Amino acid sequence: EVQLVESGGGLVQPGGSLRLSCAASGFSVSSNYMSWVRQAPGKGLEWVSVIYSGGNTYYADSVKGRFTISRHSSKNTLYLQMNSLRAEDTAVYYCAGEGDSYMHVWGKGTTVTVSS
Amino acid sequence: QSVLTQPPSVSGAPGQRVSISCTGSSSNIGAGYDVHWYQQVPGTAPKLLIYGNTNRPSGVPDRFSGSKSGTSASLAITGLQAEDEADYYCQSYDSTGRRVFGGGTKLTVL
């Protein structure tokens, strides 16, 4: 069974850092494109970042320079390092496995709250 | 402000047909990039509904269909059922490598 499980969310103060993880089973994070997508409370989906199987990475303008996507092949795990966090980064963060730019495998999400 | 524009809400009675539009620009949908659709029941993760403009993943009923023309795309749902009540999102890609979403449409089954 294909499964993605996010972890690492929590409460952090503005300016702080968090690292999210997405552990995959039945699905290779290295052989597929992998994205992070977030959803602020009561709002729509916002794409955050993608890492290609070849290693290229792309970011939304809202997080560029603050967030870093990476992966660990042997652990089959995707990461999102989030620095300089702001209140507007508060959201449920989902990892998703991609086909041809579409997201066909989703985790259940992990909640990040940025507040003092 | 989302890159792709969707109506905030649509509604229909059971058995009826509804459609949801998704309007982009020449840098995304109009550039020839595919449109994909997701269904999200509040409190749960999104689920892929349509990919590559018109294709349904296995398990998605054929009541759901997608189309694309120019800088826009549409999702149609026929034979509306109570279980279809959810939020629907379109998604595409732009030439910078970024994925873009619509703002989402809340479907209410009357």
Side-chain angles (χ1 to χ4, degrees), chain B residues 13-98:
Chain B
Q16 286 189 333
R17 177 187 186 277
V18 297
S19 68
I20 299 171
S21 61
C22 174
T23 303
S25 69
S26 58
S27 63
N28 42 67
I29 298 175
Y33 298 116
D34 287 341
V35 178
H36 320 298
W37 292 90
Y38 303 88
Q39 178 191 60
Q40 186 182 34
V41 174
T44 69
K47 167 191 166 185
L48 180 65
L49 200 62
I50 297 286
Y51 67 95
N53 305 314
T54 61
N55 303 293
R56 285 185 309 276
S58 61
V60 174
D62 60 5
R63 302 186 296 103
F64 295 90
S65 63
S67 63
K68 175 192 162 186
S69 177
T71 59
S72 295
S74 287
L75 172 71
I77 310 171
T78 58
L80 206 56
Q81 299 181 4
E83 66 202 48
D84 299 332
E85 189 160 289
D87 298 320
Y88 293 83
Y89 295 89
C90 60
Q91 179 244 316
S92 189
Y93 172 90
D94 73 20
S95 54
T96 66
R98 296 166 184 160

Side-chain angles (χ1 to χ4, degrees), chain A residues 33 35 37 39 43-47 50 52 58-61 64 94 98-104 106-109, chain B residues 2 34 36 38 40 43-48 50-52 87 89 91-93 96-104:
Chain A
Y33 293 7
S35 269
V37 175
Q39 187 169 35
K43 302 296 184 182
L45 302 174
E46 179 189 16
W47 174 79
V50 64
Y52 286 3
Y58 299 89
Y59 298 91
D61 287 344
K64 195 167 187 179
Y94 297 100
E98 293 198 5
D100 189 8
S101 87
Y102 57 87
M103 298 161 204
H104 63 104
W106 292 75
K108 293 186 177 181
Chain B
S2 301
D34 287 341
H36 320 298
Y38 303 88
Q40 186 182 34
T44 69
K47 167 191 166 185
L48 180 65
I50 297 286
Y51 67 95
D87 298 320
Y89 295 89
Q91 179 244 316
S92 189
Y93 172 90
T96 66
R98 296 166 184 160
R99 283 74 175 132
V100 290
F101 279 100

